[in-house]
Amino acid sequence: MHVSQVFLCKQKQSQTSKTGKTYYSLKLRDKTGMIDAKIWDLTNAIEHFETNDFVMAEGSVTTFNGALQLRVTRIRRAKKGEYDEAEYMPASSFSAEKMYAELMELKNKVENPHLRRLLDAFFVEDAEFIRSFKSHSAAKSVHHNFLGGLLQHTLRVTQLCYFYCRQYPMLNKDLLLTAAIFHDVGKTRELSDFPDNDYTDEGQLLGHIVIGYEMVKKKIDELGGFPKKLETELLHCILAHQGQLEYGSPKKPSIIEALALYYADDTDAKLEIMIEEFENSNSLDFLGLNRFLGTNIRRTSQEE
Amino acid sequence: MHVSQVFLCKQKQSQTSKTGKTYYSLKLRDKTGMIDAKIWDLTNAIEHFETNDFVMAEGSVTTFNGALQLRVTRIRRAKKGEYDEAEYMPASSFSAEKMYAELMELKNKVENPHLRRLLDAFFVEDAEFIRSFKSHSAAKSVHHNFLGGLLQHTLRVTQLCYFYCRQYPMLNKDLLLTAAIFHDVGKTRELSDFPDNDYTDEGQLLGHIVIGYEMVKKKIDELGGFPKKLETELLHCILAHQGQLEYGSPKKPSIIEALALYYADDTDAKLEIMIEEFENSNSLDFLGLNRFLGTNIRRTSQEE
Amino acid sequence: MHVSQVFLCKQKQSQTSKTGKTYYSLKLRDKTGMIDAKIWDLTNAIEHFETNDFVMAEGSVTTFNGALQLRVTRIRRAKKGEYDEAEYMPASSFSAEKMYAELMELKNKVENPHLRRLLDAFFVEDAEFIRSFKSHSAAKSVHHNFLGGLLQHTLRVTQLCYFYCRQYPMLNKDLLLTAAIFHDVGKTRELSDFPDNDYTDEGQLLGHIVIGYEMVKKKIDELGGFPKKLETELLHCILAHQGQLEYGSPKKPSIIEALALYYADDTDAKLEIMIEEFENSNSLDFLGLNRFLGTNIRRTSQEE
Amino acid sequence: MHVSQVFLCKQKQSQTSKTGKTYYSLKLRDKTGMIDAKIWDLTNAIEHFETNDFVMAEGSVTTFNGALQLRVTRIRRAKKGEYDEAEYMPASSFSAEKMYAELMELKNKVENPHLRRLLDAFFVEDAEFIRSFKSHSAAKSVHHNFLGGLLQHTLRVTQLCYFYCRQYPMLNKDLLLTAAIFHDVGKTRELSDFPDNDYTDEGQLLGHIVIGYEMVKKKIDELGGFPKKLETELLHCILAHQGQLEYGSPKKPSIIEALALYYADDTDAKLEIMIEEFENSNSLDFLGLNRFLGTNIRRTSQEE
Amino acid sequence: MHVSQVFLCKQKQSQTSKTGKTYYSLKLRDKTGMIDAKIWDLTNAIEHFETNDFVMAEGSVTTFNGALQLRVTRIRRAKKGEYDEAEYMPASSFSAEKMYAELMELKNKVENPHLRRLLDAFFVEDAEFIRSFKSHSAAKSVHHNFLGGLLQHTLRVTQLCYFYCRQYPMLNKDLLLTAAIFHDVGKTRELSDFPDNDYTDEGQLLGHIVIGYEMVKKKIDELGGFPKKLETELLHCILAHQGQLEYGSPKKPSIIEALALYYADDTDAKLEIMIEEFENSNSLDFLGLNRFLGTNIRRTSQEE
Amino acid sequence: MHVSQVFLCKQKQSQTSKTGKTYYSLKLRDKTGMIDAKIWDLTNAIEHFETNDFVMAEGSVTTFNGALQLRVTRIRRAKKGEYDEAEYMPASSFSAEKMYAELMELKNKVENPHLRRLLDAFFVEDAEFIRSFKSHSAAKSVHHNFLGGLLQHTLRVTQLCYFYCRQYPMLNKDLLLTAAIFHDVGKTRELSDFPDNDYTDEGQLLGHIVIGYEMVKKKIDELGGFPKKLETELLHCILAHQGQLEYGSPKKPSIIEALALYYADDTDAKLEIMIEEFENSNSLDFLGLNRFLGTNIRRTSQEE
């Protein structure tokens, strides 16, 4: 099968064959998935390109060890206009605009003026933050590692928290919704933008919990007039949302909204891990040990 | 202050004073709480009674070491009609009938005929089970340790699961709701009835997870015709609902409904622990290390 | 070296060579062990067969990377009569009949009529159970993963328990012997029969502890008249025989027979792991980290 | 023995005797230590006072259960001028001024202009910070829980780090010294001033690691012009100085200065725990299980 | 009830009553158990004595808080001849001489001349060692904490090991029996003699594993001519007999005899803990959480 | 590129090519590092040699899979005189003689005559020990796994301890310096000499902690006259220097010198791990998860 199309080059390695010849081993992505590729002959048809470039490649597809492999005969960097960047990245299956609108509806249920003003400073007034928040992933791998993943995860967590408020009247709705919406904002700086989507230096050394804490704390200081206890409680919710010290939270939940946020976050994260595993596999049998869930998992049967 | 009323005697100990005299040390409960009591003089006015008897006691209330103490001068077993048993036990603050009706509404959302028939066999047709399920606690101490606690916990967990089904379409609603309703039925045999509310012998040696498994498995066998995979999945959800081996589940959740049930169960249990702690204390300050949550907890501030 | 004989095909994979040709990579077992095989040319001499089929194969044996490899030139499914199934499976080095007789002798030392009747219902009256019990392995890998492994392990554990009874008179001999004989019966349903010997669906989702519990509990209910405390204690021994929650027992041993059974089970399992490791290796040096024992192991020296 | 002097009242509890009389149970501290006290008769000579007040008390000292006890006959709040506050608090045995001077000498070895300017903004220009830093404890209990404890601990840690720089040339001296000097500044807000010396609300909910991070981060932003990587590395050292997630650090040490700081901090903390235990006891025998060190400890013998 | 007899004084504390009078609080043991005692009046009839002295005491027995209490009116040190030391210490219920003879029988089954000579050097030729070994406890508390406890435990462990040798022919009988007999000899120096039976200084700082290692190693060096590998294997068995690093063994079992010894030691220790708990209690109900076994325990029922 | 030089052969494997030809795969080391080599043709120019031999090899260097590969055409064992053994082993970058002199200076600060005499018996009088100690590594892999590594590590630890003595006057300088110098002497027998540098049999079965303990204990017994408590304390420091039971110390530090030694040892080991990782890599980016440090590490930036 001959192909000629634009790919995103995710990996490019120079190698030497037994006979001493240099060749390239590539990983190329298009909207349908990833394919291994080889450039065996470095002719004039092989122009310069690097990892994370969009490339226009031509060649034939064969099978090797049971997987498809593209033997590239011609390749060059793709030109703006030849491709739509968004199509080359894994993305949430939900509309970003629709999810954002739902999140804003939940935000608007916050009545406390300090919390509302703080939320608006990020989610209404800060266009650059909004752009970044909408398109970020929520992780490098694990779960929600796609365009819009941060938004989808934040929405699910906030919806869960809103439901908790109906079940447990002791919960302070304004504080919990605000904490839910803010809990992962540090991820906009912990991970770089797509297509890179990798840990930044401050992501590695400080982590999204502390970065998010600092983003919110700084804005509170700028806005001024925040009640001290409320500030401390909101920041505590952000710090404690991983629930356990060994998961990277420097404090365990001491107030009930922090505890509720931890459960909403963990519930969505772990269910999403299973959902993504099953969506990425056609098997109805056990998939083997899942390292995040610590057990062997399988899809539920569909017998009637 | 002189009192003369019926109490439930929760503890009765015979002791000897320094001067060699025998006296009794009691713990008495009425609807307002628990009080320490002493019987210093064993006169004819002190009739025979035992722990867990209802007693008509008379005496004067004083303070000792900052707490109230009743010096009993006259005591006898109370007669049927002198008291209403229900008033002497801690009970859910929600109506048992109303909660049961809500739970049945959720049950009726189960459409799979096998699961529905199984649910009805317990929750519609088995009057003795229904009586026991309605009045049981969900624990000896920890959380939901009151009349109706099992019903309240089961309702909250099932409501959470129903909400999850709206958020995560991959979840099999019929299986999850059924598993949620059944997950703690073993507690009707793990703990004895009020006023005793203590571990039974099989509760200690087998535990509510395995007892509940066996109650459901036996009924499935009796009813017959259950699809084998569906049966195994439902039983797996019951076995795995504590989420971790070290919490007493012999299996970790391998299917998504078992994982969802674990989160619903854990969320309600832990939030209820905090709620009960705050309801049992007037302090707005930190309450000290809570051994179930592993951290120091305090009520959220109410500043505006 | 040319060979022509029957093998059990344990693995069959279709692969594509660099030159684009399809070939098969096989793992074939006979009584002497496992050999890698390749079918390079898919001629008419290569008939259809699948994994776990017995095949009559012909070809030449060469060495590749220091190991033997069979280049298959002709292959077909073997016919009944061309081979003896038992010879192609790893099996206990002890006679199944002899071990079963020894186990029955120990069973006959049980004097309590309820326990004896229960044992006989399985080990004397249930021919299908007896067949399955005799030929099962005790594990998929780890230890005793061979034909008769379950029987051999059960016999060793019961013998150890019988010895404990002589040393510690407090042990209830009848209860302990019965619990020992029953402790792993759930494995007859946790693992499928040979040559498959893999986890069944209920094995994965329920586990042999709970399956065994339920097999015994159901029979007790059928037989009727069992003393309640004795029933609970026997079932507790089965549930608690792994000793620790994190090893999958939903209860830790609370009575002394359960504790003794745990030690007998663990002693035989771990010693057998070492024995099998040493039998599978000719090295007198350290074998490297053993993941079940958590340390580096070596055979004891034979110096005089 | 009759006494009449000023004490700091660390505890005041109202109690009722068997005969129904109210009395007070106190804990009083002077520079020589703590003494239990009782006020049996609430006469006019007993004026109003509260916990943490300085009081002028009069009475007789007796022994009770082998310990001294003061029977107070007269008590009133002490007047300013009747006592020197510093004498009533446990304090470092080293001079605060001398230790501060030594710390400043180490600070002056920092040559990088950004780090030096940052240090000076706290340790030279901010008088209120300096006052607080000098007089704070480094803990509520555990170790260095005395006036000047924070200064003494910071000095010892910085000295250790300076020594490491001589041994391991790979260490960036400027970064490590700066991180050492700043590592516990958050304690000035985690714990309240003496005589209270208890966790503040933000201390409980945010913790000294995050508070210290934020104090330094805020100042860096104010000063401006800080190299980004250097800023991240310094902040990382503060966040990671407890070495392990389960000790409350949201990140483990990723750069060598963070690792070195962790060792210096832990070495001084643990050695100081032993030193304080031995100084608080005259025993040459084993003191029993120390819960911070997890073992039984004793002073080294002095045999020659 | 008036008594006049010899006791072993296990505790003597000087205390001061509310009225300022000094009195003594004692714990006295005779063969029937322990009794609390008070000396209220320090008359001439109260002669000098210390903890661990045998005393001739006279007084009246009353009950206080439900327990017996002896009010001592006359007391003096007992004279040699007035009592038999052995009667005042908890002791094995088995005859020391009989147990020693059984152990020697097992010792005589060792055929390897090096191992046999080593065993004889301790258990035949060293009278002081034999005396100490026979009368020692195997622990300060926990299990086998009585006269002859070390001998009883060593015998049970060696018997178990001998049984293992019959079940698992791979075991080197001579090595395993020798290791079993020697495994706890370090306890003769880890714990002091009765009536003290407390940790010695080297017991605390070095522990019985290393002490035992060194006793055997030193003797091997003295005797000379030991095969090097055999020596290392025997010493390894002693070092590894606690099975896990966190239980104080500096090495985990790497050879099969070390693994077998670990199981024999652990089996006897844990079963003995349960046996002693049940012998020390008359209750047929659950005894509450046992801290060594980590669970709630109860005696097995005796229903027929 | 053609080469002809002496290498140390670290690995030699016989393999068979697809075409059935035997060839050799080698790993050869010279002072600049390790290189893969192949001997494709087994001609007369290929003489006999074994792993760990020094060989004179001739051939051409090519690249394969991005790494260098030597195709050997001629090879023979090297003759004494053709090479300098020391050049072929990884070695400390510091002079062994200089480091030893520094260590001896620290040794000479020990004033207690018993400790000094004990040190001299090893470090002055025992020439064979001195030779072995100077050239040993401190580990097989992990850290300090080079010629002189044991000496370098011992020196660093002793220097740290000497610095602690200046900071914490409670430390017994003589005891701590002696313990530091002796703490790893067992490594001279736990690991074999270079070029082998692998675990010995007693290294595997007994470990360097116990071996070192025994070396020192034996010498103390030989010298005689050692104060008992001092001996026990010194031996305790050696046994406890890994700080935790799970790291292989049979005792945790109970005296302050043992605790200090643990910190010095752990500080030098962990800092050295990072230093070696960075020295073995040119990357300024994160190096990925380091398994000994449990986190992702990177070199500190050099921005000014």
Side-chain angles (χ1 to χ4, degrees), chain F residues 224-256:
Chain F
F226 227 84
K228 182 65 185 169
K229 280 216 158 179
L230 185 61
E231 170 192 328
T232 306
E233 287 164 350
L234 174 61
L235 294 171
H236 172 73
C237 288
I238 294 174
L239 290 180
H241 84 259
Q242 307 247 15
Q244 303 286 342
L245 302 189
E246 55 268 41
Y247 300 157
S249 269
K251 283 285 172 181
K252 296 186 67 172
S254 283
I255 63 173
I256 194 167

Side-chain angles (χ1 to χ4, degrees), chain E residues 258-304:
Chain E
L259 189 68
L261 175 57
Y262 158 60
Y263 275 104
D265 180 52
D266 205 29
T267 300
D268 184 60
K270 294 302 193 319
L271 289 179
E272 181 72 14
I273 288 176
M274 259 207 192
I275 289 168
E276 294 180 17
E277 288 292 333
F278 294 140
E279 285 178 350
N280 290 332
S281 161
N282 294 316
S283 173
L284 295 175
D285 208 343
F286 281 89
L287 301 184
L289 181 75
N290 180 287
R291 70 191 177 103
F292 298 110
L293 300 170
T295 194
N296 198 347
I297 63 176
R298 80 153 163 78
R299 260 180 188 273
T300 307
S301 68
Q302 305 297 329
E303 304 183 46
E304 288 304 304

